[in-house]
Amino acid sequence: MCVSVRLSVCCLQTIYRQCEQDHKEQASVPALVSPLSNRTIVNTTAAPTKSVRTLCHKPWSYIPDGIMPVFWRVVYWTSQCLTWLLLPFMQSYARSGGFSITGKIKTALIENAIYYGTYLLIFGSLLIYVAVHPELRLSWYELQTIGITAANTWGLFLLVLLLGYGLVEIPRSYWNSSRHGHLLVKTYFKASKLMTEKADAEENLEDVMEEVRKVSESIKYNHPLRKYIDTILRKCPLDYQEKMGRNMDDYEDFDDKQNTYPTEKSLVKLHKQVIYAVQRHNRTRVQWQILLQQAIHLEDVAKNETSSTHQFVHSFPSSEPAGWFSRYIYTPTVEWYWECFLKRWFHRLLSIVLTLFSVVVVWSECTFFSTRPVLSLFAIFIQLAERDYNYLYIEMACFITIFFLCTCVYSTVFRIRVFNYYYLASHHQTDAYSLQFSGMLFCRLTPPLCLNFLGLIHMDSAISHQEKLQTAYTSIMGSMRVLSFIANGFYIYYPMLIVILCIATYFSLGTRCLNLLGFQQFMDDSEMTSDLIDEGKELIRREKRKRQRIEDGENRRREWKERYGNPREDYAARNRSSHEMKETSYSDTVSSSNSRQAKYSRSGSRAERDRIELLQDAEPLDFNAEALTDDPMDAESGRHSGGRYLSMSSSRSRIFDDI
């Protein structure tokens, strides 16, 4: 968003400066051809000059000279420092399993030694080539331009790949979202694959926790490496921490002669495995809940489409109280019209508009090098606005165009998944390595994306070959004419490959290749896809039955509470009253009467105890050993079962444990 605004303002500033330069030349030359609009301006008298000058007014978003070059210089070199130096180091630092800052820094430097060494080797080879070649006498500015050109060439290579996918996939995704049947079937397919991944993550976590348990039992409390074990245990889930805490004997010393202990290097590796396994397990668990909600919602939409009452009915109403928006605006009737009718046509209309934008971008990418005649549609629109100096139209056109290009490119980055090594997940479930990797891609793609946009609207003199004032951005990037084979060859003809990429994306050639290699992808005409769809449908049906049983149990509990009140509160009140009576009476007769009263109250509260047992049996929850006691009254007294450490109990959680 910020880059789109700044780039549009940069274009406006360049047009205004070009306008002022034209007027200065117009005052001294009788007739000339304007480089902005390619038209002849006759200046035989002072009146036409005055009338033309009135058209050249300063735009409201004009920024004084000298500010935009500083802004672009800070943005460019900051992004380059991040993408080539800082972010690779931070990736290795976040992925490291070291137990100290020094250990993590050492690991990161070692892992990036090859990465940085490759850059130094290439840069040194170029310097030797320039120094040995007799015809090349390059200054520091030209060497800087060569480095910028090399970085932008790599970025443009990646840009065309991502842009070719996004130009087709984004309009098609909105069109498919209007097809509820297709979307529901694809959700079943995702559920089947995600359940497999979830089971694999749970199995991997079990294996890692078993290894942690063995190491924790072998290293006792007074071992020098015990502090590392405690650090690893704090990264484990709470239930595994409790299981390991039960079997730990703090009074058993270690013996260096009889036992073999792991090294610090092996503990670092184990720490790294624990972090990855726990993060993957949490991610698949959260994603499963989100996907389950989506599948249930899509099934509700399919059921409500045939409803004659035109009111949307949910299978599982939300437990949260409805807000004012749901009560007064987004009513069940409005929700039915939106979900079952309006949303479908809105997505189709949006898909058609995005398809037109994609066609314009593809045509302009293939023809932006042609300056006479001008074939790029974006350049035609901008030049028409230049004739009347319609700054508002120019700024809106530039903003919408660059925003659409950024959406196509950056949305593709969010869709990329390299196995489980790099994967962006929603709802804050992405690990630090993947976030930093995506940040590197954003920093690498922004400069070539800006240059490509300036080429589309013919405001880059290195591509359009026109004598124009350079924009503040191109003045920072330097003249690409130092390397003519890149400026006149790669930058112009390589974007034409976007046509081939769009065709391959339209026919899903990449998806078909992955399916042939054994990676299950969603294909309409595949037998494996139909099997996974059936499996996913059964998984969703099973989860719905489980949720329905839980909801029925809660309803029965609520009915019992409404009919008989809260027997636990009544029992607690009687407990408190009898306790007060015992404290205020010290005579034998009173104590004997109190004992008889307690006995009578215990025998007389049999109905309440039966109700409590019914309430406990009403809800078919999972088995919990903590709540299982011989007497339900003992469960209310606050006594804990034996064999558990009180500090490890999940019921006594501290207020800052989840932060």
Side-chain angles (χ1 to χ4, degrees):
M1 183 69 72
C2 180
V3 174
S4 303
V5 174
R6 292 299 181 183
L7 197 59
S8 60
V9 172
C10 183
C11 295
L12 283 183
Q13 185 177 3
T14 305
I15 293 173
Y16 175 72
R17 290 170 54 201
Q18 184 69 48
C19 176
E20 288 185 337
Q21 182 178 355
D22 291 345
H23 286 169
K24 291 180 181 179
E25 296 177 357
Q26 199 175 29
S28 59
V29 180
L32 71 161
V33 178
S34 174
L36 282 176
S37 56
N38 295 330
R39 70 184 187 277
T40 302
I41 300 176
V42 180
N43 186 17
T44 57
T45 62
T49 303
K50 184 176 181 180
S51 63
V52 174
R53 284 182 180 178
T54 57
L55 297 176
C56 186
H57 61 276
K58 185 179 292 186
W60 63 273
S61 59
Y62 180 79
I63 298 177
D65 296 339
I67 295 180
M68 290 300 293
V70 174
F71 170 79
W72 284 119
R73 189 176 288 110
V74 171
V75 170
Y76 180 77
W77 290 113
T78 302
S79 62
Q80 293 301 309
C81 179
L82 287 174
T83 187
W84 299 108
L85 296 177
L86 188 58
L87 285 178
F89 176 81
M90 292 177 63
Q91 278 185 300
S92 300
Y93 184 89
R95 200 86 170 182
S96 174
F99 298 99
S100 62
I101 298 177
T102 305
K104 291 183 178 181
I105 292 176
K106 182 180 178 181
T107 304
L109 291 176
I110 294 175
E111 291 182 357
N112 286 275
I114 301 176
Y115 186 77
Y116 297 135
T118 305
Y119 291 153
L120 293 176
L121 179 62
I122 295 175
F123 184 73
S125 301
L126 291 176
L127 286 180
I128 295 174
Y129 174 76
V130 172
V132 173
H133 202 283
E135 298 180 357
L136 294 179
R137 294 293 184 268
L138 299 179
S139 62
W140 169 250
Y141 175 77
E142 292 173 339
L143 286 176
Q144 178 182 342
T145 303
I146 291 177
I148 293 175
T149 304
N152 290 337
T153 302
W154 161 248
L156 183 63
F157 176 79
L158 188 63
L159 173 68
V160 172
L161 294 178
L162 300 180
L163 186 61
Y165 178 84
L167 289 174
V168 176
E169 192 61 30
I170 290 180
R172 183 163 59 183
S173 64
Y174 280 102
W175 182 266
N176 290 333
S177 63
S178 65
R179 302 162 54 195
H180 290 163
H182 174 85
L183 201 59
L184 182 59
V185 168
K186 192 172 183 179
T187 305
Y188 289 149
F189 177 82
K190 291 181 180 179
S192 178
K193 288 189 63 178
L194 185 59
M195 178 55 71
T196 303
E197 183 181 354
K198 183 172 178 290
D200 187 27
E202 292 176 354
E203 183 179 356
N204 185 27
L205 182 64
E206 289 283 349
D207 296 339
V208 174
M209 291 299 105
E210 180 64 22
E211 187 174 354
V212 172
R213 184 191 62 81
K214 294 179 180 178
V215 174
S216 177
E217 291 179 355
S218 63
I219 298 180
K220 304 304 177 183
Y221 74 100
N222 56 350
H223 195 278
L225 297 178
R226 184 63 200 182
K227 58 182 180 179
Y228 299 148
I229 298 298
D230 295 337
T231 303
I232 295 176
L233 289 176
R234 284 194 293 267
K235 302 296 178 59
C236 300
L238 293 177
D239 51 348
Y240 288 99
Q241 293 182 21
E242 294 178 3
K243 292 178 182 178
M244 297 175 189
R246 294 194 189 104
N247 300 324
M248 185 174 60
D249 189 359
D250 292 341
Y251 299 98
E252 183 179 355
D253 296 337
F254 72 94
D255 189 0
D256 294 333
K257 299 180 180 180
Q258 297 181 359
N259 298 329
T260 57
Y261 299 99
T263 61
E264 183 178 353
K265 185 177 180 180
S266 62
L267 291 180
V268 169
K269 184 179 179 181
L270 180 61
H271 187 204
K272 184 177 180 180
Q273 292 176 354
V274 169
I275 294 174
Y276 175 74
V278 172
Q279 199 279 332
R280 184 186 175 192
H281 175 263
N282 294 334
R283 182 185 65 200
T284 54
R285 180 174 52 84
V286 173
Q287 286 183 332
W288 172 252
Q289 297 297 329
I290 297 172
L291 190 63
L292 180 62
Q293 293 289 345
Q294 293 177 357
I296 293 175
H297 176 72
L298 291 175
E299 290 181 348
D300 291 343
V301 172
K303 293 178 181 178
N304 284 273
E305 283 181 348
T306 57
S307 176
S308 59
T309 59
H310 292 180
Q311 287 190 351
F312 199 88
V313 179
H314 295 272
S315 300
F316 301 98
S318 177
S319 58
E320 299 179 358
W324 65 269
F325 183 77
S326 300
R327 289 197 303 266
Y328 301 107
I329 299 177
Y330 199 61
T331 59
T333 303
V334 175
E335 185 177 4
W336 185 90
Y337 278 103
W338 168 250
E339 292 290 345
C340 301
F341 183 73
L342 295 177
K343 187 177 181 180
R344 174 184 306 175
W345 291 104
F346 173 75
H347 283 178
R348 290 181 180 179
L349 180 61
L350 185 60
S351 176
I352 294 173
V353 174
L354 294 176
T355 302
L356 294 177
F357 266 98
S358 299
V359 172
V360 172
V361 170
V362 172
W363 172 261
S364 300
E365 290 284 356
C366 297
T367 59
F368 74 93
F369 61 90
S370 177
T371 57
R372 293 184 181 178
V374 179
L375 299 178
S376 175
L377 296 178
F378 293 115
I380 293 175
F381 297 153
I382 297 300
Q383 289 183 5
L384 288 176
E386 284 181 4
R387 295 179 182 178
D388 300 328
Y389 298 104
N390 191 345
Y391 295 125
L392 180 61
Y393 171 79
I394 294 172
E395 188 169 3
M396 293 302 299
C398 292
F399 175 79
I400 293 175
T401 304
I402 192 67
F403 183 78
F404 178 72
L405 293 176
C406 291
T407 303
C408 293
V409 174
Y410 294 153
S411 63
T412 308
V413 175
F414 287 100
R415 295 170 183 263
I416 295 176
R417 178 172 182 177
V418 184
F419 302 104
N420 288 319
Y421 191 69
Y422 165 74
Y423 178 35
L424 289 178
S426 58
H427 291 78
H428 312 286
Q429 297 302 314
T430 306
D431 58 344
Y433 183 88
S434 299
L435 286 175
Q436 291 163 357
F437 185 78
S438 62
M440 290 174 56
L441 290 181
F442 291 159
C443 292
R444 292 177 183 177
L445 290 172
T446 300
L449 182 61
C450 296
L451 279 180
N452 182 257
F453 169 73
L454 293 176
L456 292 179
I457 62 176
H458 289 183
M459 294 196 70
D460 188 359
S461 59
I463 296 177
S464 61
H465 302 287
Q466 296 179 359
E467 295 299 330
K468 284 187 176 182
L469 288 177
Q470 288 188 350
T471 61
Y473 185 77
T474 54
S475 64
I476 298 303
M477 304 301 293
S479 178
M480 301 304 168
R481 294 173 183 174
V482 177
L483 300 176
S484 59
F485 67 93
I486 293 180
N488 299 328
F490 184 80
Y491 279 179
I492 293 177
Y493 299 106
Y494 178 72
M496 294 182 182
L497 294 178
I498 200 171
V499 179
I500 300 177
L501 293 173
C502 289
I503 294 174
T505 306
Y506 179 78
F507 290 102
S508 304
L509 295 183
T511 302
R512 297 180 186 275
C513 292
L514 290 176
N515 199 20
L516 291 176
L517 292 176
F519 301 97
Q520 289 83 11
Q521 302 294 319
F522 183 75
M523 301 290 296
D524 295 333
D525 53 351
S526 175
E527 183 178 356
M528 180 64 68
T529 301
S530 60
D531 295 340
L532 291 177
I533 290 173
D534 296 337
E535 181 180 352
K537 186 184 298 185
E538 182 61 31
L539 290 173
I540 298 298
R541 188 181 296 113
R542 187 185 308 168
E543 291 293 333
K544 289 181 65 177
R545 289 198 300 265
K546 181 179 179 181
R547 181 174 294 188
Q548 187 66 45
R549 288 196 301 268
I550 296 175
E551 186 174 352
D552 293 341
E554 292 179 353
N555 293 334
R556 287 195 296 268
R557 175 193 288 181
R558 192 179 301 111
E559 292 177 359
W560 275 98
K561 286 183 179 181
E562 292 176 356
R563 182 179 301 177
Y564 298 105
N566 196 342
R568 297 186 178 184
E569 294 181 357
D570 298 339
Y571 175 76
R574 288 193 298 270
N575 234 357
R576 287 194 299 269
S577 62
S578 62
H579 183 68
E580 292 174 357
M581 292 176 62
K582 289 180 182 179
E583 287 183 349
T584 55
S585 178
Y586 298 96
S587 61
D588 296 337
T589 57
V590 176
S591 62
S592 62
S593 64
N594 285 337
S595 63
R596 288 194 300 272
Q597 183 181 0
K599 183 177 180 181
Y600 175 78
S601 63
R602 183 172 181 85
S603 60
S605 61
R606 182 63 179 270
E608 285 80 357
R609 296 177 60 185
D610 293 340
R611 291 168 193 159
I612 293 175
E613 293 178 358
L614 288 174
L615 287 175
Q616 290 179 347
D617 296 336
E619 183 179 2
L621 298 176
D622 295 335
F623 175 77
N624 190 358
E626 299 177 2
L628 183 61
T629 55
D630 296 334
D631 194 346
M633 299 297 114
D634 294 337
E636 296 294 330
S637 62
R639 292 196 297 266
H640 296 274
S641 60
R644 289 177 56 87
Y645 289 98
L646 186 60
S647 60
M648 304 294 287
S649 177
S650 60
S651 61
R652 296 285 185 96
S653 60
R654 294 177 291 273
I655 59 175
F656 294 106
D657 286 349
D658 296 333
I659 298 180

